[in-house]
Amino acid sequence: MLGPAHALEHALERQAEHRAIKRWRALSAVARTRMVRARRGSLRAANAAPAWEVGRWHSRFPLPIHAIHAALLPTGKLMIWSYPFRASESAPVVIEGRAYIWDPSKGTGTRAFHEVTPPADDTSPHAMIYCSGGSFLPDGRLLTTGGELYWPSDDRPLTAGIRDIWTFDPWDETWTRQPDSARGRWYPTQTELPDGRTLIVGGYDEGGKQAANRDLEVFTASADPHGVGSIQPFPTGERDFSIYPHLFTMPDGTVLLAGQRSIDNALLTVTRNGVDGRPLDVFKWTDTSPSDSRAQGNAILEPGGPAGSTRVTLVGGNDPSARDEAAAHTPPRETTQTLDVAQLGDGWQPAASMKIARSNFNTVVLPDGSLVAVGGSNGFSDAEAAYASWDDHRSRRVDLRDAVTGQWHLGAAQQEDRAYHSTAVLLPDGRVLSGGDDRIGTRTSDTAEIYSPPYLFRGPRPGIRRAPTSLRYGEPFRVRTAFRLRRRSRAARAVLMAPGVTTHGTEMHARHVELAITRRDAWGVNAVAPPSAGVAPPGWYMLFVLSNDGVPSVARWVHLVLGGR
């Protein structure tokens, strides 16, 4: 994906890993124990451990803008957006948004980036879409809602939201202004419903008093990729959602609200009643068991079987009630907890804890069903706010959760601390991009790093030679692998991965969808598309096949559509 130079880099890394494996196997048990002990306790040791256990980070590269928001487009390119760099720390803040696209096929130099900033709005030379929500429409367009109305100052110390709604066509890279929301939204969340519409909730309104926008609104896209859709409020769904709540569409079509606050737990049902011969949606929230308070934490929809997942896990974060007043510090959590919507009566159950406590970080679900937690702050402090750092930089190391055991272990370390305003997303080649953190004192530049998870060092990939580009629900299809492989390296599983759209530790689109397999052979697999739009809402997905060793292919993009192709 990143060209011959990076392909050669991986080849050399694999050769080095094979040599390391041979050396390891030649060691005595005593020598192995000494080696393991010597590796513990430092970042250098973390990166010296075998890559098939901890993965490997690649060199940093500069970004033209802060990666406060990141969205993997169905073209395979990545969009990042935020406010622009400042010329210096003493320079005034430029009140406008900026957006850039990274084309991985062009490497990581300046020529791999180009600007795609949306045009002017009513308040700024460029629409202030940072601190917005983001997700994809069924046709692959990016939808952003809300953003920043103004930069806080002594006169206006509290933040406020804009009413802007924009769509971005990833194929011709143009923006279209959509109808405004009824009120402003700063830090909203949105998620795609099974029928392809987008549910929008949360954030602070435009009043400048950090008042919650209680509206539930639904955006319906136009059939024309450059056309104007519609936005409709539904009073039956009004609620105090606070900022960047976590939302997940369930297989039965309901939507789970899961934090960040302990009171932000409810299940949304949508019913259609006929009024004068016309359908009328009724949105109703039913409270569920409260979770722990996990401000600035993560939430993920757990991987499940082909029938879909009903389990959501909350990861890390911090509890404002645990603040240490003497230290002026709120510590982060390493704990996690899981709710199964199919077993609501059981409430939130504790699950395995990370090795490092984190808040203001990112958790990415990988194609093999494992998780990687990237970056994070040492909670929240008066001195550093959400950028609070560890003296020993411990959160540079990733936490990895095993797909089978569910237990966490530490992985390799990044070169930078990445906490508040950082992002991390899965790339089509199975790696993870980590960028951002406009840390106080470094708002004049930004960088990114790419992480290769351990599975990329466990054997050859089952490359995809042929696969459909469009699928209907429940449709059987064939994936032909690129070449005949030994049995352990043959394609054994197939998954769809919805592309990530993330900001402030809140992922609004990514999901892992396991596909039913009806046949496996030396040349590929026969699979079945997801059974319903609740399991996988319509849109563009990355199709990965995985070997018996759990090594994923490079993905192919496939369009999952409602009705006909």
Side-chain angles (χ1 to χ4, degrees):
M1 180 181 176
L2 293 178
H6 283 267
L8 176 61
E9 177 185 351
H10 271 282
L12 294 174
E13 288 174 346
R14 286 193 295 271
Q15 291 176 9
E17 289 300 320
H18 287 311
R19 289 194 294 270
I21 292 171
K22 289 181 180 179
R23 290 195 298 270
W24 175 262
R25 290 174 176 171
L27 294 174
S28 66
V30 173
R32 290 181 183 181
T33 300
R34 289 174 179 170
M35 181 178 290
V36 170
R37 287 176 177 172
R39 285 171 176 162
R40 292 174 180 167
S42 71
L43 300 181
R44 179 178 297 178
N47 289 329
W52 70 87
E53 294 180 357
V54 300
R56 178 166 293 167
W57 285 96
H58 305 270
S59 297
R60 287 175 294 181
F61 57 94
L63 296 176
I65 197 70
H66 298 297
I68 294 176
H69 298 256
L72 179 66
L73 305 174
T75 57
K77 301 175 184 179
L78 184 87
M79 180 189 287
I80 56 176
W81 67 97
S82 74
Y83 48 75
F85 292 147
R86 295 163 64 181
S88 67
E89 280 302 308
S90 60
V93 177
V94 180
I95 310 301
E96 60 184 44
R98 281 284 191 265
Y100 279 80
I101 282 181
W102 172 48
D103 184 350
S105 69
K106 296 181 179 179
T108 57
T110 56
R111 63 182 295 271
F113 294 88
H114 61 274
E115 188 172 359
V116 289
T117 296
D121 67 2
D122 295 337
T123 61
S124 171
H126 299 285
M128 296 168 66
I129 60 170
Y130 55 88
C131 298
S132 61
S135 62
F136 287 107
L137 299 173
D139 62 4
R141 282 179 289 168
L142 177 68
L143 174 72
T144 70
T145 61
E148 186 103 14
L149 182 59
Y150 53 77
W151 194 270
S153 64
D154 292 339
D155 295 334
R156 295 185 295 183
L158 302 180
T159 51
I162 59 175
R163 297 174 177 173
D164 290 31
I165 299 179
W166 294 85
T167 54
F168 178 79
D169 186 323
W171 286 277
D172 66 12
E173 298 184 353
T174 59
W175 292 90
T176 301
R177 180 73 178 262
Q178 301 293 333
D180 288 352
S181 59
R183 293 191 291 163
R185 293 189 186 273
W186 180 83
Y187 279 34
T189 296
Q190 56 195 68
T191 192
E192 186 184 0
L193 298 172
D195 61 10
R197 296 180 299 169
T198 302
L199 176 72
I200 307 164
V201 301
Y204 293 147
D205 67 17
E206 73 283 5
K209 298 180 180 180
Q210 292 192 179
N213 184 333
R214 300 174 63 93
D215 296 348
L216 181 152
E217 295 180 290
V218 173
F219 178 80
T220 303
S222 65
D224 179 358
H226 302 111
V228 175
S230 62
I231 183 77
Q232 183 177 5
F234 288 90
T236 56
E238 289 182 351
R239 187 184 179 100
D240 179 356
F241 301 93
S242 189
I243 53 176
Y244 281 139
H246 304 299
L247 293 179
F248 299 95
T249 298
M250 294 285 113
D252 63 358
T254 59
V255 176
L256 179 68
L257 170 67
Q260 302 180 22
R261 303 175 303 182
S262 60
I263 61 173
D264 295 330
N265 283 273
L267 196 64
L268 177 70
T269 56
V270 185
T271 56
R272 309 208 84 180
N273 298 331
V275 176
D276 297 329
R278 297 173 298 172
L280 174 67
D281 287 329
V282 176
F283 291 81
K284 180 180 180 181
W285 292 99
T286 302
D287 289 337
T288 59
S289 300
S291 63
D292 293 342
S293 181
R294 294 181 179 273
Q296 300 162 351
N298 295 171
I300 59 104
L301 178 64
E302 291 281 357
S309 174
T310 57
R311 299 171 64 243
V312 166
T313 295
L314 304 180
V315 186
N318 62 66
D319 179 4
S321 67
R323 174 179 166 85
D324 182 340
E325 291 294 347
H329 175 245
T330 303
R333 295 177 181 269
E334 71 277 6
T335 58
T336 71
Q337 56 186 157
T338 299
L339 178 72
D340 189 344
V341 172
Q343 304 290 335
L344 278 177
D346 294 341
W348 289 94
Q349 296 295 313
S353 294
M354 296 182 292
K355 298 301 181 182
I356 294 174
R358 306 171 191 263
S359 60
N360 295 292
F361 65 111
N362 295 273
T363 300
V364 179
V365 182
L366 300 176
D368 67 346
S370 62
L371 305 183
V372 57
V374 183
S377 68
N378 179 15
F380 188 96
S381 71
D382 287 359
E384 295 181 279
Y387 303 93
S389 56
W390 297 97
D391 291 340
D392 59 4
H393 305 291
R394 66 185 66 175
S395 62
R396 292 185 184 182
R397 298 185 68 176
V398 300
D399 256 301
L400 295 160
R401 197 190 75 178
D402 187 271
V404 177
T405 68
Q407 298 300 307
W408 296 83
H409 69 276
L410 289 175
Q414 298 188 80
Q415 297 180 58
E416 285 189 22
D417 294 316
R418 299 191 189 276
Y420 187 61
H421 282 172
S422 67
T423 49
V425 292
L426 176 70
L427 298 175
D429 64 357
R431 300 192 293 175
V432 174
L433 179 91
S434 172
D437 187 335
D438 63 330
R439 190 170 297 270
I440 297 171
T442 60
R443 286 182 174 165
T444 57
S445 63
D446 199 4
T447 65
E449 301 172 59
I450 297 178
Y451 177 65
S452 291
Y455 53 44
L456 292 180
F457 303 94
R458 293 174 179 166
R461 291 188 169 202
I464 298 176
R465 180 179 180 182
R466 187 180 303 118
T469 58
S470 180
L471 289 172
R472 294 185 295 263
Y473 290 94
E475 178 181 8
F477 65 99
R478 173 75 172 170
V479 181
R480 179 75 180 268
T481 51
F483 50 87
R484 190 182 183 98
L485 295 170
R486 63 184 177 86
R487 184 172 297 277
R488 289 296 305 169
S489 301
R490 293 177 184 173
R493 297 168 56 196
V495 299
L496 295 180
M497 302 293 293
V501 185
T502 187
T503 185
H504 295 75
T506 303
E507 172 57 62
M508 303 185 197
H509 196 80
R511 68 171 54 211
H512 179 287
V513 183
E514 189 81 22
L515 298 178
I517 302 297
T518 59
R519 176 183 171 84
R520 300 177 180 86
D521 56 48
W523 300 104
V525 294
N526 291 359
V528 181
S532 72
V535 173
W540 285 90
Y541 289 78
M542 292 178 283
L543 169 65
F544 289 91
V545 295
L546 296 100
S547 72
N548 284 291
D549 291 322
V551 183
S553 66
V554 173
R556 290 286 191 96
W557 287 95
V558 59
H559 194 198
L560 190 57
V561 297
L562 290 168
R565 292 180 184 272

